[in-house]
């Protein structure tokens, strides 16, 4: 019986890791299935651009995985049962269960629960392609009115800043306001903060700092200080969170629902489960948890590849880098900020701004898309056989044994 590897999620991390595993492991004794809710690869880093009006490429996952031997299941994951080693899925045919021997959990994150009254009912977001398209339709409608319109972006994290500046540049007929809970660009260096403020001024944006939102209504945003902001389209970007499914399934998670993993991205509670990207609580080389980001997805994905291949084939597991060194922020199409950070996650004094930073960010996005669309490019074609006949129950027992070796093979 072949060893069943099931990958949940085909975002930046999941799609890339699945492709590499398919190249490095022999199909004679391994079987890889990818489960994703939609049939396309979603460029999440560009969803704010999609909402603002740009055409964003969405490659078909069937084309991405063509020739790899990977099985694609277009379905929504509804539950994970690590004790029975199955995942429940729902699709147009009713769904069912998929059994696994090794599970790679890469379901990412979504927009944070909108606990503020009215936010869920009246605000838009750019956390997923459907929601970004709904915002785009709303902005198109405001443009067709010919009377302009007022857009309020709530949240001054990277997504909020990128969304507000992209909308302001792409749709100059709209009035854009950005609501920041604290100081605008507080995590940036002093020079980068000044650059950000100048960009907002250049784009004609209104910035409200040290402002908390208490409620969202259909046509306005109510702030804690009594200010009422007229809004024809409110965009909610105040944080991201992971699905509670992992916690519900019994996996050990942090308070925010991320799966707790060891240095090799392996669940500390269930050794045949690996987590990467936003779904994982991974500790970087600096001793701090890696932030939710595309960069973290890449680093955790590469580590998971080495761990899974190493354990299944009986080879030594290599520790890859787990670092976070930059924040890349686009400020429309021709401006941006590249902010280096130190080992404590604090902004370094120097930064890169303007067109050069915008080109770097665009290059990162293009590279990420290409790498995801060609997951096996440049990887040696030699496929390694498993060390022994696959036996998930034996691996599970060995991992929990007091003298279990971190390098034990399946």
């Amino acid at each position: 019986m072949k060893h069943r590897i099931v990958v949940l999620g085909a975002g930046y991390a999941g799609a890339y890791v699945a492709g590499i595993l398919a190249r490095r492991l022999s199909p004679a004794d391994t079987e890889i299935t990818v489960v994703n809710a939609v049939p396309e690869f979603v460029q999440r880093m560009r969803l704010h651009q999609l909402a603002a009006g740009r055409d964003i490429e969405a490659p078909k996952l069937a084309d991405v995985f063509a020739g790899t031997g990977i099985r694609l299941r277009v379905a929504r994951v509804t539950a994970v049962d690590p004790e029975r080693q199955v995942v429940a899925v729902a699709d147009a045919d009713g769904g069912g269960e998929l059994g696994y021997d090794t599970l790679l959990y890469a379901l990412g994150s979504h927009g944070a629960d909108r606990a503020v009254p009215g936010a869920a009912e009246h605000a838009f977001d750019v956390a997923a392609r459907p929601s970004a398209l709904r915002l785009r339709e709303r902005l198109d409608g405001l443009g067709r009115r010919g009377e302009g319109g007022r857009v309020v972006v709530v949240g001054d994290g990277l997504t909020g800043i990128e969304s507000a500046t992209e909308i302001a540049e792409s749709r100059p007929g709209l009035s854009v306001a950005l609501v920041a809970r604290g100081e605008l660009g507080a995590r940036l260096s002093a020079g980068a903060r000044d650059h950000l403020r100048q960009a907002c001024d250049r784009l004609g944006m209104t910035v409200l700092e040290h402002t908390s939102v208490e409620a969202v209504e259909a046509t306005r945003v109510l702030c804690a200080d009594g200010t009422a902001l007229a809004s024809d389209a409110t965009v909610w970007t105040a944080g991201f969170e992971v699905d509670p499914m992992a916690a519900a399934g019994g996996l050990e998670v942090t308070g925010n629902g991320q799966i707790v993993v060891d240095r090799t991205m392996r669940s500390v509670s269930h050794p045949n489960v690996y987590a990467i990207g936003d779904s994982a609580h991974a500790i970087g080389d600096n001793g701090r948890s890696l932030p939710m980001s595309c960069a973290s997805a890449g680093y955790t994905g590469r580590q998971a590849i080495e761990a899974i291949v190493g354990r299944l084939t009986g080879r030594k597991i290599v520790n890859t880098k787990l670092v976070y060194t930059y924040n890349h922020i686009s400020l429309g199409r021709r401006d941006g900020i590249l902010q280096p950070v130190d080992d404590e996650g604090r902004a370094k004094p120097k930064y890169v701004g303007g067109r050069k930073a915008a080109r770097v960010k665009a290059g990162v996005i293009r590279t990420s898309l290409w790498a995801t669309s060609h997951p096996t490019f440049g990887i040696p074609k030699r496929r390694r056989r498993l060390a022994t006949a696959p036996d998930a129950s034996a691996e599970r027992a060995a991992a929990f044994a007091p003298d279990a070796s971190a390098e034990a093979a399946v």
Side-chain angles (χ1 to χ4, degrees):
M1 181 178 178
K2 292 185 178 182
H3 187 95
R4 301 162 299 171
I5 300 175
V6 174
V7 179
L8 304 183
Y12 290 107
Y16 178 77
V17 172
I20 301 302
L21 290 177
R23 176 64 72 90
R24 292 183 62 179
L25 295 172
S26 172
D29 45 18
T30 55
E31 173 184 288
I32 301 175
T33 301
V34 174
V35 183
N36 200 59
V38 296
E40 302 88 11
F41 172 70
V42 177
Q43 294 193 69
R44 188 168 180 181
M45 289 193 293
R46 301 191 65 188
L47 288 179
H48 64 288
Q49 298 173 346
L50 178 67
R54 291 206 219 181
D55 292 328
I56 305 302
E57 185 179 355
K60 295 290 185 182
L61 289 172
D63 296 334
V64 170
F65 296 135
T68 64
I70 291 172
R71 301 180 179 187
L72 174 64
R73 179 74 179 270
V74 179
R76 182 172 56 87
V77 181
T78 59
V80 176
D81 187 341
E83 300 303 324
R84 295 173 52 225
Q85 294 184 193
V86 298
V87 295
V89 300
D91 57 20
D93 298 324
E97 289 186 339
L98 291 174
Y100 66 83
D101 299 306
T102 295
L103 181 69
L104 181 69
Y105 194 108
L107 290 177
S109 61
H110 53 80
D113 182 30
R114 305 171 193 176
V116 172
E121 295 81 5
H122 303 298
F124 298 86
D125 68 67
V126 293
R129 185 177 176 86
S131 57
L133 288 173
R134 286 194 293 271
L135 174 56
R136 178 174 180 155
E137 182 179 4
R138 177 60 172 164
L139 298 178
D140 287 343
L142 295 178
R144 287 192 295 269
R145 290 193 324 187
E147 304 172 359
R150 296 154 298 190
V151 178
V152 176
V153 179
V154 181
D156 61 326
L158 303 189
T159 301
I161 292 171
E162 292 191 328
S163 298
T165 53
E166 184 73 27
I167 293 171
E169 181 182 88
S170 300
R171 299 174 181 266
L174 301 180
S175 173
V176 179
L178 176 61
V179 180
R181 180 181 292 271
E183 180 185 7
L184 179 65
R187 292 184 294 173
L188 301 174
S189 63
R193 286 198 300 272
D194 289 342
H195 186 98
L196 174 58
R197 292 178 186 280
Q198 291 171 16
C200 292
D201 291 341
R202 172 176 55 81
L203 295 169
M205 292 168 48
T206 299
V207 177
L208 291 87
E209 298 179 276
H210 307 289
T211 302
S212 297
V213 172
E214 286 196 334
V216 177
E217 298 180 351
T219 58
R220 62 178 186 168
V221 174
L222 305 181
C223 303
D225 61 3
T227 302
L229 304 174
S231 178
D232 297 300
T234 301
V235 185
W236 196 265
T237 66
F240 293 89
E241 62 186 10
V242 299
D243 195 285
M245 188 165 23
L251 289 160
E252 184 171 335
V253 300
T254 60
N256 69 353
Q258 289 180 302
I259 298 173
V260 181
V261 297
D262 63 15
R263 181 59 175 75
T264 67
M265 302 303 111
R266 194 185 209 185
S267 165
V268 298
S269 62
H270 294 79
N272 58 350
V273 176
Y274 294 78
I276 57 176
D278 291 355
S279 302
H281 177 71
I283 303 302
D285 294 340
N286 61 358
R288 302 169 61 90
S289 59
L290 293 175
M292 294 184 182
S293 68
C294 180
S296 297
Y299 285 118
T300 57
R302 284 190 283 274
Q303 180 60 79
I305 291 169
E306 295 300 328
I308 292 172
V309 172
R311 290 195 173 100
L312 292 183
T313 63
R315 303 175 68 84
K316 181 179 179 180
I317 297 174
V318 176
N319 280 350
T320 62
K321 290 194 303 182
L322 293 177
V323 298
Y324 192 84
T325 55
Y326 291 97
N327 282 319
H328 298 87
I329 311 171
S330 62
L331 305 174
R333 302 189 184 195
R334 294 174 292 277
D335 194 2
I337 293 172
L338 177 60
Q339 176 66 72
V341 298
D342 61 21
D343 286 344
E344 299 298 318
R346 298 172 300 197
K348 294 183 178 180
K350 293 184 178 180
Y351 78 100
V352 177
R355 289 181 179 269
K356 182 177 181 179
R359 287 195 295 268
V360 171
K361 178 64 180 287
V364 169
I365 291 174
R366 286 194 301 270
T367 301
S368 298
L369 175 61
W370 196 94
T372 302
S373 301
H374 303 78
T376 63
F377 180 81
I379 301 299
K381 293 184 178 181
R382 182 181 179 185
R383 301 185 180 188
R384 301 197 177 277
R385 300 295 300 269
L386 301 198
T388 62
D391 185 346
S393 61
E395 160 69 350
R396 186 178 177 80
F400 280 116
D403 60 345
S405 168
E407 306 302 332
V410 175

